[in-house]
Amino acid sequence: MTSQYRVNYHLRSHKRDNLIEFIKGMLLTPFVLHPHDEESKATQEQENANRYAGIFGSIEMLIDEHRELLQAGIPTHSRLAKLVPSIGTFFTRLPLEAAFRHINRTNRISARKHVPPSFNDIRRILNMAQVMAIAPELQLVTFDGDMTLYADGQNFADDSPLTVLLIRLLRQGINVAIVTAAGYGTDAMRYEQRLSGLLRGFAKEELTPAQVARFYVLGGECNFLFRCRADYRLEFIDDTMYASSSLRSWTDTQVQQLLDVAEAELADCVRRLGINAQILRKPRAVGLVPHEELTREQLDECALSSQMALLRSQGAPKSEPCDVPIPFCAFNGGSDCWVDIGNKLIGVQILQEMIGSPPQ
């Protein structure tokens, strides 16, 4: 059996999250111990909903305790850390019980008799809880482009249902940004082409200059920033106007030297794997563009080979790509392989500085 996923399959764990697995285990108990009685379906469903809600309420309290001990500098002392040792940082409270009840009204999780709460159910509830937590003070929403707002390699469609939702965010005073790996340098027209349906939607709805000025596009991970003008076109913002030295301290000479290493490694992959491909060099990226379809494994090999070469070149073979002097991304793009200077974390931090909303 083959997987439908072609992107970075070997570079990430698939549908594995220890917190979600822990919650799944907790929810399995009432599902098994309290089967539905055919004669009182409505009562059973409500009772199951209350049991599930109680479990989410308890986990909510565990997270609250963990956050308190994190602020005190002793997060490993929390009960949650002992139950889920790999637990990370929670930046906000998570109203999990309220989120479950909201999702359950639509999805009727508590009415199911044969399928217990799943990974996707719990992830949806966690996402809803996060939205509920940040909504009152939300100032910035960022999205990826390919495979998030539109299909991989395609353009934003004129009839996309997302247009209405993004316009609603802008009208409510929220900054919206697309942070994408797609890198076309300072060529605003290339980005306009990819986002043509959305920009036409702005024009059709006659968004005001103040509203469209809250729409940003950040290409090449974190390298090329654009803002929407009153005429619904994108305008490049030179990085001297926003780039913080603490976020992007590297020089162009250093960047080109790193790209030289990446280009040489990709060329070696072409030779070693017998790939028929072109090596394409850009100002802040270098990529392998095949002339024929490659397997997922071939693309993963190119990405991992490039990653290791760049880590070694920066004297940190055991580090992560985000923890070296010049952060980078080496990734399987599904049909090609790219190495980009910087990453989307830096991109989001740049946008936070731009709008004056540092992380809390």
Side-chain angles (χ1 to χ4, degrees), residues 37-288:
D37 183 344
E38 292 295 328
E39 297 181 358
S40 56
K41 292 182 180 179
T43 302
Q44 286 285 343
E45 180 181 346
Q46 186 57 50
E47 289 178 353
N48 276 350
N50 291 336
R51 294 184 186 103
Y52 289 155
I55 290 171
F56 277 109
S58 297
I59 295 168
E60 186 177 324
M61 289 189 290
L62 287 175
I63 292 174
D64 287 342
E65 181 202 51
H66 183 75
R67 294 184 70 237
E68 291 174 3
L69 293 176
L70 177 65
Q71 292 178 351
I74 48 174
T76 56
H77 289 201
S78 76
R79 288 178 294 165
L80 185 59
K82 292 178 171 59
L83 293 166
V84 188
S86 62
I87 198 70
T89 300
F90 296 90
F91 296 99
T92 67
R93 289 196 72 251
L94 290 180
L96 291 173
E97 183 174 349
F100 163 75
R101 292 192 182 278
H102 178 86
I103 295 293
N104 191 56
R105 281 195 293 271
T106 302
N107 293 3
R108 302 290 292 273
I109 298 170
S110 60
R112 298 202 307 239
K113 297 191 296 182
H114 304 291
V115 179
S118 67
F119 177 98
N120 287 335
D121 290 327
I122 297 168
R123 181 172 61 180
R124 193 176 297 115
I125 292 164
L126 288 168
N127 288 342
M128 178 57 67
Q130 186 64 80
V131 169
M132 288 177 166
I134 65 176
E137 299 179 358
L138 185 62
Q139 297 183 51
L140 170 67
V141 178
T142 65
F143 300 91
D144 193 1
D146 292 272
M147 300 182 71
T148 300
L149 296 181
Y150 38 81
D152 189 28
Q154 303 301 307
N155 299 334
F156 196 106
D158 288 84
D159 60 352
S160 172
L162 296 175
T163 300
V164 174
L165 301 177
L166 296 176
I167 288 174
R168 188 180 301 171
L169 290 173
L170 293 170
R171 282 177 168 160
Q172 291 178 346
I174 296 171
N175 294 275
V176 175
I178 297 176
V179 183
T180 174
Y184 309 121
T186 61
D187 187 354
M189 292 185 64
R190 293 291 302 278
Y191 292 101
E192 289 172 352
Q193 180 181 3
R194 298 296 306 276
L195 299 169
S196 55
L198 180 60
L199 295 174
R200 282 193 287 268
F202 291 172
K204 182 179 179 181
E205 291 294 320
E206 299 182 344
L207 294 188
T208 67
Q211 289 169 343
V212 295
R214 290 193 284 270
F215 180 72
Y216 298 87
V217 178
L218 187 51
E221 309 286 356
C222 63
N223 289 294
F224 308 105
L225 180 63
F226 301 82
R227 174 186 275 166
C228 192
R229 301 187 314 220
D231 61 356
Y232 312 110
R233 303 291 300 273
L234 296 179
E235 178 180 31
F236 175 67
I237 303 176
D238 190 271
D239 59 7
T240 59
M241 299 177 62
Y242 66 85
S244 168
S245 60
S246 64
L247 294 177
R248 289 190 353 190
S249 59
W250 52 83
T251 66
D252 188 64
T253 299
Q254 292 173 316
V255 167
Q256 298 310 314
Q257 290 173 346
L258 199 65
L259 291 178
D260 289 342
V261 174
E263 184 174 0
E265 186 62 29
L266 288 174
D268 182 69
C269 288
V270 169
R271 177 194 57 78
R272 177 162 51 89
L273 301 178
I275 293 173
N276 181 16
Q278 173 188 4
I279 306 298
L280 184 61
R281 181 78 171 252
K282 295 184 177 183
R284 299 288 175 88
V286 60
L288 182 150

Side-chain angles (χ1 to χ4, degrees), residues 19-28 56 59 122 126:
L19 175 62
I20 291 181
E21 296 299 327
F22 169 69
I23 297 173
K24 276 181 61 179
M26 298 291 291
L27 296 173
L28 191 60
F56 277 109
I59 295 168
I122 297 168
L126 288 168

